[in-house]
Amino acid sequence: MKRIVVLISGRGSNMRAIVDARIAGAEIAAVISNRADAAGLAFAQGRGIATRVVDHRPFASRAAFDTALAEEIDAFAPDLVVLAGFMRVLTDDFVLRYQGRLLNVHPSLLPAFSGLDTHRRAIEAGVRVHGATVHLVTPQLDAGPIVAQAVVPVLPGDDPAALAARVLREEHRLYPQVVRWFVEDRVDVDRQGGVRVHGAGRSEQTMCVPQLDAG
Ligand code: NHR
Ligand code: GAR
């Protein structure tokens, strides 16, 4: 059984998609939030999953917060740590501790629009396609090896909320699938940071969702 710890900060809909995917050979060992009011915590509790809160605010430094967070994580001895809407930048030491088994979903087609407020920035830039990226986390923000991406159109009249909702639907398909690949030990990263998934079709690592005539 592969043990997974999921880190959230809020709604937790990606965490929920991973839980609901009921990935064979995987156990969601814990859901940990840096915010006590994260809606995702109640969902996890309802499913009998252990939850923890490590509030970042009382800590004097990012390093001190990350040390406390790592202690909580390590108590669950995870094989995989999944960032799912987790909103704190992590220190190099934290990232290196989980290197190769730390995943994130980012709401853009990286390397475009790393950082925050991606949907508004995509609309303002006038890009015709946008999407989501699942990547391995490295010390440099949003720059780790890309495992899979999902593409959605930017449609006339989109506001950030409409575009975010279109992207989020694809995150919910993409992220559980990538977690499944890790659980099945099918992911290889080469020295250049290229990611190969054994036995996956091209359309699985590159999800294109044209829906160009959708509302
Ligand atoms: N940490 C490292 N080292 N590398 C990455 O690739 C990381 C990471 C931590 C989080 C998720 C990321 C995203 O997908 C992620 C990737 C938060 C911020 C941020 O600026 C940026 C990127 C991501 C998550 N957070 C503010 C901070 O001061 C706080 C913002 C808030 O609380 O709302 O940490 O986009
Ligand atoms: C998702 O769209 C995720 O990609 C994004 O926040 C949302 C979280 O939703 N992540 C980031 O912006 C990380 N900086 P969720 O809590 O419902 O999964």
Side-chain angles (χ1 to χ4, degrees), residues 74-96:
D74 291 348
F76 295 98
D79 300 287
L80 190 62
V81 178
V82 171
L83 306 184
F86 182 73
M87 295 308 291
R88 300 299 300 173
V89 174
L90 297 160
T91 57
D92 294 9
D93 282 351
F94 180 97
V95 171
L96 295 175

Side-chain angles (χ1 to χ4, degrees), residues 102-199:
L102 182 57
L103 285 174
N104 180 43
V105 64
H106 179 78
S108 78
L109 295 173
L110 290 172
F113 309 116
S114 75
L116 303 176
D117 213 6
T118 56
H119 307 300
R120 185 188 55 74
R121 288 158 61 211
I123 290 168
E124 285 177 7
V127 295
R128 314 259 335 161
V129 294
H130 184 49
T133 301
V134 176
H135 65 93
L136 283 154
V137 175
T138 57
Q140 196 189 338
L141 192 65
D142 294 333
I146 292 171
V147 184
Q149 292 183 306
V151 182
V152 305
V154 181
L155 296 175
D158 268 351
D159 59 13
L163 183 54
R166 192 176 306 121
V167 170
L168 191 64
R169 270 199 303 277
E170 301 314 313
E171 295 182 35
H172 295 165
R173 302 197 316 141
L174 197 66
Y175 212 4
Q177 181 181 74
V178 171
V179 170
R180 186 177 297 113
W181 290 335
F182 273 85
V183 168
E184 294 170 352
D185 281 323
R186 289 165 59 191
V187 183
D188 271 341
V189 184
D190 67 31
R191 256 176 259 280
Q192 283 80 250
V195 176
R196 162 134 190 261
V197 181
H198 294 278

